[in-house]
């Protein structure tokens, strides 16, 4: 899947969680700045995996910001 298509799908997914990736919001911490519970962050990661047909092999606790998830997804082959 091309990176642009992956990125567009991620943008739509983040918007469904109320996270708009404008300005520096992509750098904000899920837990401290965006006030998300761990279950919602894990749900977001799971939905990204399912939607894109990939498996994120990184420890999910290390994904603290939207940009972390974006970088991992865009590096994945498929």
């Amino acid at each position: 899947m091309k990176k642009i298509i992956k990125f567009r799908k991620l943008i739509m997914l983040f918007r469904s969680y109320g996270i708009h990736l404008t300005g520096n919001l992509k750098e904000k911490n899920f837990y401290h700045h965006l006030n998300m519970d761990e279950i919602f962050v894990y749900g977001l990661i799971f939905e990204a995996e399912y939607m894109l047909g990939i498996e994120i092999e990184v420890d999910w606790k290390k994904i603290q910001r939207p940009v972390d998830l974006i970088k991992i997804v865009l590096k994945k082959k498929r």
Side-chain angles (χ1 to χ4, degrees), residues 6-67:
K6 283 183 183 180
F7 191 63
R8 285 183 181 168
K9 287 185 176 188
L10 281 174
I11 289 171
M12 290 179 357
L13 178 62
F14 280 116
R15 283 185 183 161
S16 73
Y17 277 79
I19 302 169
H20 299 276
L21 299 177
T22 56
N24 64 352
L25 277 181
K26 60 188 164 284
E27 298 287 337
K28 299 286 184 179
N29 187 290
F30 286 124
Y31 306 104
H32 300 125
H33 299 112
L34 301 175
N35 297 321
M36 291 180 70
D37 290 332
E38 186 176 56
I39 191 75
F40 291 110
V41 175
Y42 289 174
L44 176 77
I45 296 168
F46 175 77
E47 282 190 57
E49 281 185 330
Y50 182 75
M51 179 176 56
L52 299 172
I54 61 172
E55 185 176 342
I56 296 174
E57 299 164 355
V58 176
D59 181 18
W60 287 10
K61 291 184 183 208
K62 292 183 180 179
I63 300 174
Q64 298 284 313
R65 307 170 299 160
V67 73

